[in-house]
Amino acid sequence: MEMSIVILIAFLLSQVVHIGTQEEGEKGCVPGFQVKEYQVEYNRGFQKDHPLTQMLFDDCVGNEGMAFEVSHPDFQVDEEMNLVARRDVMDSGTVMFIHGVNEHAEDMAQVDIVGALPRSPQTLRVLGQSVTSSIHLELSHCPVTAGTTSVKEILGLGQIHPYRSKRALFAPRMHVSENMEPPFPKVIGTVMSSGMEDDHIFHMTGSGADQDPKGVFTINRLTGEVSVSQELDREAINSYMLEVSVTDQNGKLVEGPVALLVDVNDQNDNRPIFKETRYAGEVLEGSPTGTVVMTMTAEDADDPRLQNAVLRYNIVRQSPDKPSPNMFYINPESGNIVTVISPTLLDRETLPTTQYELEIVAQDMKGRDVGLTGTSTATITITDKNDHAPEFTHSLFQANVDEGSTGVVVNLTVDDRDDPATGAWRAIYSIIKGDPTQSFEIQTNPDNNEGMLSLIKPLDYESLVFHTLLIKVENEDPLVPDVGYGSSSTATVHITILDVNEGPVFFPDPLQVTKMENVPLGSFVALLNATDPDVLQSQSIRFAVLRDPANWLSVNPVRGTVNTSANLDRESPYVQDNKYTAIFMATDNGSPPATGTGTLVIHLEDYNDNAPYVHPSVVRVCEDARDSVVIVGGRDRDIHPNTGPFKIELGKQPGLENTWKVSRVNNTHAQIMLLQNMKRANYQLPLVVTDSGLPPLSNSTEIKVQVCTCKKNRMDCSGAGSVRSNLMLLLGLVLLSLLCL
């Protein structure tokens, strides 16, 4: 019986909708469910994810953003608009209601489950008071004649004997627009219950109700009407997730809780905003039409799914507007700025400026007049390419240069129409002819691009008076393929060498000679040779000593002969590595006079004029003759062959050989041994050392011998008496012993 009632109600509802929308349907698409009632056969339950029926819903604009809610929590509508079970379901009831909604349409449909266990007739309350009222409203337009069956009779409500069934609480998804104007509160929807009693109460919890932000939404405790109590901002919170439940007067939970989702519908209350107020881009001159220069994009805080945030871009101003007010175009959707002007007109050297300023406007609502706008500025720089070769300002440059000088000779000037800040303008100069000795070089002045031609090697007037150079100029960057270097990129430089009075030149310099040290005073050392480079002039030369550290030399001012004025000493501190160096000058009689300098190096050969000596001059021995051995060596200020091998022996004093013994160790050293024990004292021991020179030199010398007490590797030399007195006492004792024999 309940099934027939539900079907009848659905039929009446479909007729009401049909009657109410017939006129609208005749005009075209009617948003909402295209079929209001569906039937599904119950066969021992429903399997998870198995399609039961397809819902036919059309919002007349493509069904974008559709959302469906099913009154039975174990069922849902999938992406292909099929009604499916979320899990395996046995108890489905005989009827379900499906709520479909997006920003363009909202409608409800009924699904009858044929063969399922019946539910209480009170499930009709799921439709809510608004649906019931609409039924009565629509039926009230139908004429009722005598004998006609009433609506109540048609529904058979008076003959139904209700029985208790499982309750169901249905909270349809609700929508509320942001920025709603007062007064508040405003009803936004109704939560429906299948088993609502008069003493039952609706409750709502969650963020936006009893949690922060509190009090945004309220629910009528008796009717389930949900109201918004204040203006909302979608950009702050775009949806609220609440929970609704039903309790009795004692607070005992009767139904729920179920989720209630409230979406905040967007309004176009945010303007597009560019991240920067000014953007910079650049494009190479001569670029093809359609070259992408830069991309400008703005952001809109409104709902990106709606036209409120769909932006379109437009150029509203170009400055300057020459040679065309439309040199650039911006793609209205992507924000790409491209060139429109032809490549021939996009010539940096002929444009009135190298920078263009564009005012860009972004407008939402797909650029319609009702849309909000945001503005930014794009500065586009026309960059240079090397399409102009550098050209000399003159084909011939001239300069005069003093002979013997170096430095900048002449500045070479060029013109280049390219950008001075790039390698397309910076010049590189090269000498392609006329400099076989590589006496010149060219450097580029970075400030003005001039070529500074310099002499790096002095030139001689007497050798060549005139020099002709061929110079070429190029850019750091290569030229574009259709541009080449012409005749104006080369120039000729004439350089005239001016004669100056040059100083005499010594040859050879340095002059090197070899002499024996200690040659007689006035001995000939060397003949200085100096010539005057000014061969076209007749000039005389005079010589003088400029630097003679030891004052050993003199020079004849006319002939240039050098003689000794003192003894040459190889062992002098002025001699380094057996070489003595002096500097002479030669002066001509030109106007003004010019001077040149030359160096004389004397290699000194050794003469055996230094006697050898013994080192060290002080030695220590132990008073016990067994441990008394020392080593001494010979030294000589002369060099080979006037030095070692040395011969070291005792002095010619009688009796020394009884106490001391000197024996040869090698070519330079000898060993001194104490032959008998002696008392601790200091002694002067005479020695004779002889070198190997021809003729050899000998030297009689004395060394101090300290006789010390030696114990446990320690040597005690304190308390020793006079060296010479002890030695004389020793000699006296020796002589006395000899006389007693």
Side-chain angles (χ1 to χ4, degrees), residues 620-622 624-631 671-674:
R620 291 178 176 182
V621 298
C622 295
D624 187 348
R626 294 175 301 175
D627 301 325
S628 300
V629 177
V630 294
I631 302 296
Q671 174 180 275
I672 299 176
M673 300 178 60
L674 183 62

mmCIF file of all heavy atoms in Angstrom, residues 620-622 624-631 671-674:
data_model
loop_
_atom_site.group_PDB
_atom_site.id
_atom_site.type_symbol
_atom_site.label_atom_id
_atom_site.label_comp_id
_atom_site.label_asym_id
_atom_site.label_seq_id
_atom_site.Cartn_x
_atom_site.Cartn_y
_atom_site.Cartn_z
ATOM 1 N N ARG A 620 139.855 22.655 23.125
ATOM 2 C CA ARG A 620 139.853 22.087 24.461
ATOM 3 C C ARG A 620 140.264 20.617 24.388
ATOM 4 O O ARG A 620 139.806 19.906 23.499
ATOM 5 C CB ARG A 620 138.469 22.202 25.107
ATOM 6 C CG ARG A 620 138.072 23.620 25.446
ATOM 7 C CD ARG A 620 136.667 23.657 26.048
ATOM 8 N NE ARG A 620 136.293 24.983 26.465
ATOM 9 C CZ ARG A 620 135.146 25.296 27.052
ATOM 10 N NH1 ARG A 620 134.247 24.318 27.280
ATOM 11 N NH2 ARG A 620 134.899 26.528 27.416
ATOM 12 N N VAL A 621 141.119 20.188 25.395
ATOM 13 C CA VAL A 621 141.508 18.788 25.502
ATOM 14 C C VAL A 621 141.378 18.365 26.962
ATOM 15 O O VAL A 621 141.324 19.203 27.875
ATOM 16 C CB VAL A 621 142.945 18.549 25.008
ATOM 17 C CG1 VAL A 621 143.066 18.898 23.540
ATOM 18 C CG2 VAL A 621 143.948 19.350 25.834
ATOM 19 N N CYS A 622 141.305 17.069 27.186
ATOM 20 C CA CYS A 622 141.218 16.546 28.539
ATOM 21 C C CYS A 622 142.624 16.342 29.104
ATOM 22 O O CYS A 622 143.576 16.031 28.357
ATOM 23 C CB CYS A 622 140.464 15.223 28.560
ATOM 24 S SG CYS A 622 138.725 15.378 28.070
ATOM 25 N N ASP A 624 143.670 13.981 30.744
ATOM 26 C CA ASP A 624 144.040 12.594 30.518
ATOM 27 C C ASP A 624 144.395 12.460 29.041
ATOM 28 O O ASP A 624 143.560 12.683 28.160
ATOM 29 C CB ASP A 624 142.888 11.674 30.869
ATOM 30 C CG ASP A 624 143.288 10.203 30.814
ATOM 31 O OD1 ASP A 624 144.373 9.914 30.298
ATOM 32 O OD2 ASP A 624 142.473 9.371 31.249
ATOM 33 N N ALA A 625 145.646 12.093 28.750
ATOM 34 C CA ALA A 625 146.142 12.067 27.378
ATOM 35 C C ALA A 625 145.379 11.093 26.511
ATOM 36 O O ALA A 625 145.316 11.238 25.290
ATOM 37 C CB ALA A 625 147.634 11.731 27.368
ATOM 38 N N ARG A 626 144.773 10.082 27.114
ATOM 39 C CA ARG A 626 144.064 9.100 26.297
ATOM 40 C C ARG A 626 142.845 9.701 25.606
ATOM 41 O O ARG A 626 142.409 9.221 24.579
ATOM 42 C CB ARG A 626 143.631 7.923 27.193
ATOM 43 C CG ARG A 626 144.781 7.108 27.755
ATOM 44 C CD ARG A 626 144.277 6.058 28.716
ATOM 45 N NE ARG A 626 143.554 6.681 29.823
ATOM 46 C CZ ARG A 626 142.922 5.989 30.768
ATOM 47 N NH1 ARG A 626 142.899 4.670 30.724
ATOM 48 N NH2 ARG A 626 142.295 6.629 31.739
ATOM 49 N N ASP A 627 142.273 10.724 26.185
ATOM 50 C CA ASP A 627 141.054 11.316 25.619
ATOM 51 C C ASP A 627 141.315 12.664 24.963
ATOM 52 O O ASP A 627 140.372 13.394 24.646
ATOM 53 C CB ASP A 627 140.005 11.501 26.724
ATOM 54 C CG ASP A 627 139.647 10.183 27.385
ATOM 55 O OD1 ASP A 627 139.637 9.163 26.664
ATOM 56 O OD2 ASP A 627 139.357 10.197 28.589
ATOM 57 N N SER A 628 142.563 13.021 24.753
ATOM 58 C CA SER A 628 142.899 14.376 24.314
ATOM 59 C C SER A 628 143.233 14.404 22.835
ATOM 60 O O SER A 628 144.388 14.214 22.428
ATOM 61 C CB SER A 628 144.083 14.924 25.128
ATOM 62 O OG SER A 628 143.751 14.963 26.492
ATOM 63 N N VAL A 629 142.209 14.614 21.983
ATOM 64 C CA VAL A 629 142.378 14.733 20.533
ATOM 65 C C VAL A 629 141.464 15.846 20.048
ATOM 66 O O VAL A 629 140.273 15.880 20.386
ATOM 67 C CB VAL A 629 142.040 13.426 19.803
ATOM 68 C CG1 VAL A 629 142.158 13.622 18.289
ATOM 69 C CG2 VAL A 629 142.950 12.311 20.263
ATOM 70 N N VAL A 630 141.984 16.787 19.238
ATOM 71 C CA VAL A 630 141.168 17.850 18.627
ATOM 72 C C VAL A 630 141.543 17.952 17.153
ATOM 73 O O VAL A 630 142.624 17.527 16.736
ATOM 74 C CB VAL A 630 141.373 19.210 19.331
ATOM 75 C CG1 VAL A 630 140.848 19.157 20.756
ATOM 76 C CG2 VAL A 630 142.848 19.611 19.308
ATOM 77 N N ILE A 631 140.600 18.544 16.354
ATOM 78 C CA ILE A 631 140.793 18.717 14.914
ATOM 79 C C ILE A 631 140.815 20.197 14.615
ATOM 80 O O ILE A 631 139.963 20.961 15.073
ATOM 81 C CB ILE A 631 139.670 18.039 14.105
ATOM 82 C CG1 ILE A 631 139.592 16.545 14.433
ATOM 83 C CG2 ILE A 631 139.886 18.245 12.608
ATOM 84 C CD1 ILE A 631 140.824 15.761 14.031
ATOM 85 N N GLN A 671 145.078 16.723 12.930
ATOM 86 C CA GLN A 671 144.654 16.255 14.254
ATOM 87 C C GLN A 671 145.750 16.575 15.262
ATOM 88 O O GLN A 671 146.927 16.302 15.047
ATOM 89 C CB GLN A 671 144.408 14.753 14.191
ATOM 90 C CG GLN A 671 144.088 14.115 15.539
ATOM 91 C CD GLN A 671 143.845 12.632 15.417
ATOM 92 O OE1 GLN A 671 142.744 12.218 15.124
ATOM 93 N NE2 GLN A 671 144.891 11.831 15.613
ATOM 94 N N ILE A 672 145.364 17.173 16.438
ATOM 95 C CA ILE A 672 146.308 17.503 17.514
ATOM 96 C C ILE A 672 146.035 16.561 18.675
ATOM 97 O O ILE A 672 144.896 16.472 19.151
ATOM 98 C CB ILE A 672 146.156 18.971 17.952
ATOM 99 C CG1 ILE A 672 146.444 19.907 16.769
ATOM 100 C CG2 ILE A 672 147.081 19.285 19.132
ATOM 101 C CD1 ILE A 672 146.214 21.374 17.096
ATOM 102 N N MET A 673 147.077 15.876 19.127
ATOM 103 C CA MET A 673 146.940 14.918 20.216
ATOM 104 C C MET A 673 147.861 15.315 21.369
ATOM 105 O O MET A 673 148.983 15.818 21.151
ATOM 106 C CB MET A 673 147.303 13.500 19.746
ATOM 107 C CG MET A 673 146.433 12.982 18.614
ATOM 108 S SD MET A 673 146.964 11.328 18.074
ATOM 109 C CE MET A 673 146.757 10.413 19.598
ATOM 110 N N LEU A 674 147.375 15.103 22.622
ATOM 111 C CA LEU A 674 148.183 15.304 23.828
ATOM 112 C C LEU A 674 148.853 13.972 24.167
ATOM 113 O O LEU A 674 148.180 12.970 24.380
ATOM 114 C CB LEU A 674 147.279 15.771 24.983
ATOM 115 C CG LEU A 674 147.966 16.088 26.302
ATOM 116 C CD1 LEU A 674 148.959 17.244 26.134
ATOM 117 C CD2 LEU A 674 146.920 16.454 27.359
#
